[in-house]
Amino acid sequence: MAEVAELITRWRWSPGERDLRPAPLSRAPVVIDSWLVAGGQTVSPELHADRFAAGCTALAAVPPETTRDFLRAVACRIPLRGRWFPRVELIDDGGPALELWLRPAPPRGTGVNLRIHPGPDRRRHPTVKGPDLAWLSEVRQQAVDAGADEALLLAPDGRAREGATTALLWWRGEALCVPAQDRCDLLPSVTSRTILRMAAESGIEVVHDRPFLSELDGLETWMVNALHGIRPVRSWMGAEIAPGPAIRAPRWQARLDAARRDSDLQCGFRRKACRKCGGHAGVMEGMPEMTGAEPECRCGITAVRVPRPRPVRPGRSSSAGVPRPRRRP
């Protein structure tokens, strides 16, 4: 069964069965989201869930409850061993349909050669991840063909916005800076929001600004996303500015990695300790049996699904054998 399951990388949500079923390659998605899962853990899974649910509601009127049910099944499908980069998708197949594309994670980069995109920003829905995927992929490929790793999009007045697949952060003195969300249309980056939250909790000043490229000259600048985490800019292409030394990046990348936790997407998915190795096997409360590969703990033992505990009525014994006291009238 495991060998067969390895060949199944695409799954479609079946609302009637509350389960994922194998699916063929679909058409272009309307809304997407993706995140890195390493050893069953990811950074800020609830923010990915919120962003995907908001996009599905905004562009296809999918109820948030439907998206949450789908994400519960997704969390149970992702293996706990290895590095994965799953992508959830909303597609239009005569009506909205939710799918999972389970992908191995590509290698992580440590730096980025950044090319300034020479054309205008042609995104139609910049605050939702997915509708402009084809155009953004083309922009990034143009950057790769030119010898860069990523493309930076500019506003009409020449101010920096964000990358084709990344968010922009930079340091000015002791302050961490981010493009002002309220003055330009940006994708709500989960990685950027997580880093900014950690900075605020550490008492670091966070500045919201709209910089011209010349204002980034000599500054430590990061391009961040869920797959690579923090990648400092090593070179600029298309701008007469120099990158600053990446002094803080290694320490903050370590902090970001330490923020990983169980990829439960806050959808009712929980973990159960394995009796053999002390690892954790995936447990989905109240879900039917899944097809294909079962979630496994780190030693390879198949997970066991545990039904939701029944509520104990007053006066009856609890599961621990201790009678509950009766309420006084």
Side-chain angles (χ1 to χ4, degrees), residues 35-36 38 40 80 131 202 236 329:
W35 56 91
L36 175 66
L80 295 182
S202 301
W236 294 87

Side-chain angles (χ1 to χ4, degrees), residues 173-257:
E174 297 301 318
L176 180 59
C177 305
V178 59
Q181 181 83 37
D182 59 342
R183 288 186 283 171
C184 55
D185 292 329
L186 301 174
L187 181 71
S189 166
V190 170
T191 307
S192 177
R193 291 172 62 185
T194 302
I195 294 172
L196 294 176
R197 183 185 67 225
M198 291 191 299
E201 292 172 351
S202 301
I204 295 174
E205 181 184 6
V206 174
V207 176
H208 298 261
D209 198 3
R210 297 183 62 232
F212 290 104
L213 292 177
S214 59
E215 298 177 54
L216 301 177
D217 188 19
L219 300 183
E220 180 173 359
T221 304
W222 299 345
M223 304 304 292
V224 305
N225 64 11
L227 174 60
H228 299 288
I230 298 171
R231 287 186 296 172
V233 176
R234 294 184 297 198
S235 67
W236 294 87
M237 299 177 62
E240 297 298 325
I241 58 177
I247 299 174
R248 300 176 178 87
R251 182 173 72 254
W252 279 82
Q253 181 63 66
R255 291 187 63 180
L256 193 61
D257 290 339

Side-chain angles (χ1 to χ4, degrees), residues 22-315:
L25 183 64
S26 300
R27 60 191 66 190
V30 179
V31 180
I32 66 170
D33 214 297
S34 54
W35 56 91
L36 175 66
V37 180
Q41 295 185 322
T42 192
V43 174
S44 301
E46 74 285 354
L47 296 183
H48 285 286
D50 291 343
R51 184 173 67 179
F52 182 66
C56 292
T57 300
L59 296 189
V62 177
E65 297 78 12
T66 300
T67 307
R68 292 289 176 174
D69 287 343
F70 163 68
L71 291 174
R72 287 190 182 98
V74 167
C76 199
R77 181 64 60 184
I78 301 171
L80 295 182
R81 294 181 298 178
R83 297 176 73 256
W84 299 89
F85 193 50
R87 189 169 92 178
V88 288
E89 303 175 348
L90 170 70
I91 65 170
D92 184 3
D93 192 12
L98 297 168
E99 293 192 353
L100 163 66
W101 183 10
L102 186 58
R103 309 172 294 179
R108 169 181 280 182
T110 56
V112 60
N113 300 309
L114 192 61
R115 178 179 186 253
I116 309 304
H117 178 59
D121 186 349
R122 299 188 182 279
R123 290 176 296 174
R124 297 174 293 113
H125 300 279
T127 61
V128 179
K129 188 171 184 177
D132 302 295
L133 179 62
W135 183 80
L136 289 171
S137 298
E138 180 182 349
V139 168
R140 183 181 178 277
Q141 187 59 50
Q142 292 173 1
V144 172
D145 293 341
D149 304 300
E150 172 67 311
L152 180 67
L153 305 177
L154 303 180
D157 60 1
R159 298 177 188 267
R161 279 183 170 171
E162 57 190 335
T165 63
T166 53
L168 171 68
L169 295 173
W170 69 99
W171 288 87
R172 184 182 296 133
E174 297 301 318
L176 180 59
C177 305
V178 59
Q181 181 83 37
D182 59 342
R183 288 186 283 171
C184 55
D185 292 329
L186 301 174
L187 181 71
S189 166
V190 170
T191 307
S192 177
R193 291 172 62 185
T194 302
I195 294 172
L196 294 176
R197 183 185 67 225
M198 291 191 299
E201 292 172 351
S202 301
I204 295 174
E205 181 184 6
V206 174
V207 176
H208 298 261
D209 198 3
R210 297 183 62 232
F212 290 104
L213 292 177
S214 59
E215 298 177 54
L216 301 177
D217 188 19
L219 300 183
E220 180 173 359
T221 304
W222 299 345
M223 304 304 292
V224 305
N225 64 11
L227 174 60
H228 299 288
I230 298 171
R231 287 186 296 172
V233 176
R234 294 184 297 198
S235 67
W236 294 87
M237 299 177 62
E240 297 298 325
I241 58 177
I247 299 174
R248 300 176 178 87
R251 182 173 72 254
W252 279 82
Q253 181 63 66
R255 291 187 63 180
L256 193 61
D257 290 339
R260 290 198 193 111
R261 52 190 174 81
D262 287 352
S263 54
D264 56 8
L265 301 174
Q266 287 197 351
C267 295
F269 184 67
R270 61 187 179 88
R271 308 282 176 169
K272 181 181 180 181
C274 171
R275 295 179 180 178
K276 179 178 179 181
C277 69
H280 290 81
V283 177
M284 177 66 71
E285 293 184 346
M287 290 294 292
E289 288 297 319
M290 308 285 284
T291 58
E294 296 290 330
E296 295 179 339
C297 74
R298 293 173 178 83
C299 72
I301 296 179
T302 300
V304 178
R305 283 176 176 74
V306 179
R308 294 182 183 274
R310 294 181 179 180
V312 180
R313 296 179 181 178

